Each structure stands twice: as C-alpha cells, then as structure tokens.
Amino acid sequence: MRRSTAVIAILVVAGIVGVLVVGSTAPSPIGAQPDPAAPSGDAAADPAPSPKPGADVDLGFQLSAHHSDRAGRAIAVMDRLQRAGARWVRVDVGWQTLQPTGPGPFDQWYVDLLDDVFAGARERGLKVIVSLWLSPSWATTGGSPYAPPDDVGDYADAIAAAARRWGADVAAWEVWNEPNFPVFFEGADPATYTRLLCAAYPAVKRYDDSPVVFGGLMYNDDGWLRQAYEAGARDCFDVLATHPYVGPSDAPPDTPAVGAVWRLTHTPAVRAVMEEWGDADKQMWITELGWSSGPDSAGNPWDRAVTPRQQAAYLGAAVRLVRTRYPYVGPIIWYRDVDGPTDIYQDGFGLLRPDLRPKPALRALRDAARRH
C-alpha cells in the first residue's frame, strides 16, 4: 500500500527506515488500474469457495508500536489488544535494520528490542507473524530498501538466522510485504519474488517448522499469483496471504467484486488459482485489512476515509463475511494497532488513538473475537 514519499525520504535520511517505514496503509492502485468505482467489464461471478475445515479463525493486529528503540509502548499496546480478544500479532522486521552494514551478526540493539517484543507477545499468549523485508543497502545494486536483493541467498541467510534465534517465539514467517506492489518490491516481478521465496523456505525450515507465508499480496491479485505459480512457487510456501483492502477505500466489505482485485469479495478468485495448482490443502490468511478514519486525501478515491463508527461496523462486517463465505481463510490481521501521530488519512487505521484511548473499532474487534 501507498505511503507518503516525503515521509519515506525523511526516514531514509535518518537511517532508521528499517524500523519506522514498515507495513502498509491506504489502498492504492497497482500500475494503471481503472477507476475503482467502475466495473472492470468482467461481471462474471467469483468461483464458489471450497471449505477448509479446522482453520485457525482467531483475529489479530499489525503492530506499529515497536517502531522505536524501546519495547515499552509495544508491550502496553499488546496488553490492551490481547485483553480485547486478539490472539495474533504481525510484526514487521526490517532486514536492513538487522544487518545494516553487511552479512553477519545482527545489530544488538535491534535484537534486544525484538527479544523484548517477542517475549511480551509470548507472555500474553499472542501468536507472532514476522514479516521480514526491506533490503540493506549493501544487498542491492542501487541501495534501495524496496529493491530485491541481488543475491537471494543473502536474504535466506538472514531469515535463517532469525528463525534460529526466534523460532520458539514465532508462529509464522512471511516473506517480504506486498511483493506485487512495485513501490514495496521494485519491479514487482513474480519470478523474482518466487526466487526469493524459494530461497527463504528451506532456510527457515532448517531451524523452525512454523509456516512460511507467501506475500502478503496487495489486494486479491489472482493474476499475479498465477504468474508466481508458473514461476515455481508452489512448493515454497505453506500459507498464502493477501491484503484485501477495498477500493474505493470507503466502500463496505461486501462490495461486489465484478472482477476487481481491490475487493474482499474477490477472495474466491485467489482460492481458485490455488486449487488450480493443487494447493487446496493450504490455508489463506489475511495479514492486513482495514479502513481509515483519518481525513480524506483531496478527493483521491483510494484515500477516502470512513467515520470511526463506520470503521467499527466495517470491521465486524468483514469478519462476518469471511467467516460465513470463505472457510478456507485462517487468521485475519487488522491493520493496525494505533493511529499514527499525524492528522492524515494514512494514520487513521488504528484500533487505538495515539494516547491509547480506544476507538469504536476496538469494541468491534472484541465482539467479533467473541462471536467467531
């Protein structure tokens, strides 16, 4: 998802992009997509879902409160959201912050921070998804954190070292973040991502049997997924993750798909690709989903905010929709834990306000966790 390029530039200069520029925010188009309010011309119904019994149906949240040099705020947030019924936490980890100067030992201050965050999650019974992304400058020709590494073995070595250290505390390992979005994975090439994924898979498995997660894809991008399968991805992941944000971004969860990847209701099309390639036994997870209650962004249909009450209603409706229609979907991760510090659209996705006061969405999360 899109993030202000000005903010990115400031944080890169500060040398802490691996900690602070993480996760996704507002839905935004992939390449030159049509107006999200207009039908794509393909009005065919989505394929019918195939049941996946025994799926983990717990809810969780994307952690942003660890974007600091201390874990205290993150632990306070995890405490609050665990009491509200969350059972998963997705933690983005910057590879460039783990190894800023070259391959080898991780930077100790970041290890200490993550140790504290993971211990806090463990003590609260929260299952952790680690999303490892953002290349160190030494690992890419151009030095961009969003560029794939020149040598996928460097990433594999890093995720292997992470699995060796934190395997006991991590329930799943997600390889990169939104690799089909060229801003977050330069080139957005399915074959390039597949090489990264297939290097990471055995590297994790040497130290940890936890699932390796593909993605998560921005939107329900079934076409990009098919290209990744064609490139050889099938044997390199255990779970397929998507980020099925809805466009326009104030539209409700049940907005008909009409062939559009930026709809939650397009989930069966992704499932159909998995089944086509013999992966009906694998779960889908939603590792980001949300609506912002921040202000609109100058008429951009991808930055249309909802009210706090609508945000809460959409959270509940989205969980109900997924649980009643898509039984092959496991955990649902709400993006995100706490509103950002500014009064802009991208900072309005939280369950809590910056001072940790609850928004209406927190009660919706609690109610959804009890029902499902």
Side-chain angles (χ1 to χ4, degrees):
M1 302 303 168
R2 186 166 47 77
R3 182 176 290 273
S4 164
T5 54
V7 172
I8 291 173
I10 290 168
L11 295 175
V12 169
V13 170
I16 52 174
V17 64
V19 183
L20 298 177
V21 181
V22 285
S24 302
T25 53
S28 59
I30 306 172
Q33 292 181 337
D35 182 343
S40 69
D42 177 10
D46 281 321
S50 300
K52 179 63 180 177
D56 181 328
V57 296
D58 285 334
L59 305 180
F61 58 93
Q62 171 80 35
L63 190 68
S64 66
H66 70 300
H67 301 164
S68 173
D69 59 355
R70 297 181 182 179
R73 181 173 173 84
I75 290 172
V77 166
M78 289 190 290
D79 199 46
R80 188 73 180 270
L81 298 184
Q82 187 274 341
R83 292 201 307 267
R87 296 296 177 264
W88 284 89
V89 57
R90 182 175 182 249
V91 181
D92 47 274
V93 173
W95 175 25
Q96 68 167 8
T97 311
L98 281 173
Q99 294 179 315
T101 59
F106 293 162
D107 259 26
Q108 192 59 48
W109 77 268
Y110 198 34
V111 169
D112 292 343
L113 173 68
L114 293 173
D115 281 349
D116 291 344
V117 169
F118 295 150
R122 180 181 67 247
E123 291 162 4
R124 286 155 184 80
L126 290 168
K127 294 165 281 189
V128 175
I129 302 169
V130 162
S131 174
L132 181 68
W133 73 311
L134 297 171
S135 296
S137 59
W138 57 264
T140 69
T141 300
S144 168
Y146 303 104
D150 296 339
D151 182 352
V152 296
D154 290 331
Y155 180 91
D157 289 345
I159 202 168
R164 183 173 63 234
R165 181 174 185 89
W166 292 301
D169 288 327
V170 173
W173 299 90
E174 194 169 21
V175 177
W176 212 260
N177 176 63
E178 299 181 354
N180 60 323
F181 184 35
V183 173
F184 282 172
F185 191 71
E186 292 179 5
D189 178 51
T192 300
Y193 178 71
T194 296
R195 287 193 291 273
L196 186 72
L197 182 70
C198 291
Y201 188 83
V204 170
K205 296 299 183 179
R206 284 201 300 272
Y207 300 103
D208 188 8
D209 288 333
S210 298
V212 172
V213 182
F214 179 120
L217 292 174
M218 186 169 82
Y219 305 126
N220 277 317
D221 195 346
D222 55 312
W224 199 93
L225 174 63
R226 179 174 281 107
Q227 292 180 66
Y229 270 114
E230 291 169 351
R234 183 178 184 270
D235 294 329
C236 300
F237 68 97
D238 304 305
V239 169
L240 187 282
T242 68
H243 298 169
Y245 291 97
V246 179
S249 59
D250 60 347
D254 61 353
T255 302
V258 293
V261 299
W262 52 82
R263 300 285 161 80
L264 177 58
T265 51
H266 198 64
T267 299
V270 175
R271 187 62 178 178
V273 175
M274 296 178 69
E275 293 180 349
E276 173 188 334
W277 284 85
D279 270 351
D281 60 329
K282 295 179 182 177
Q283 285 189 0
M284 290 180 64
W285 291 4
I286 294 174
T287 54
E288 284 186 30
L289 180 63
W291 283 260
S292 173
S293 62
D296 283 355
S297 181
N300 182 347
W302 303 96
D303 286 2
R304 291 180 188 164
V306 297
T307 69
R309 289 186 180 277
Q310 282 179 310
Q311 183 188 47
Y314 284 5
L315 187 160
V319 174
R320 286 193 299 274
L321 186 155
V322 171
R323 295 303 177 225
T324 56
R325 296 189 193 178
Y326 313 138
Y328 43 78
V329 173
I332 300 172
I333 306 301
W334 180 264
Y335 183 85
R336 62 187 197 182
D337 53 353
V338 184
D339 279 352
T342 65
D343 187 25
I344 61 173
Y345 172 84
Q346 286 87 352
D347 277 348
F349 283 81
L351 297 162
L352 302 171
R353 303 185 191 281
D355 62 3
L356 305 191
R357 288 183 297 122
K359 295 170 66 177
L362 184 66
R363 177 171 291 182
L365 178 78
R366 181 185 297 112
D367 292 344
R370 288 173 178 169
R371 292 191 185 109
H372 301 281

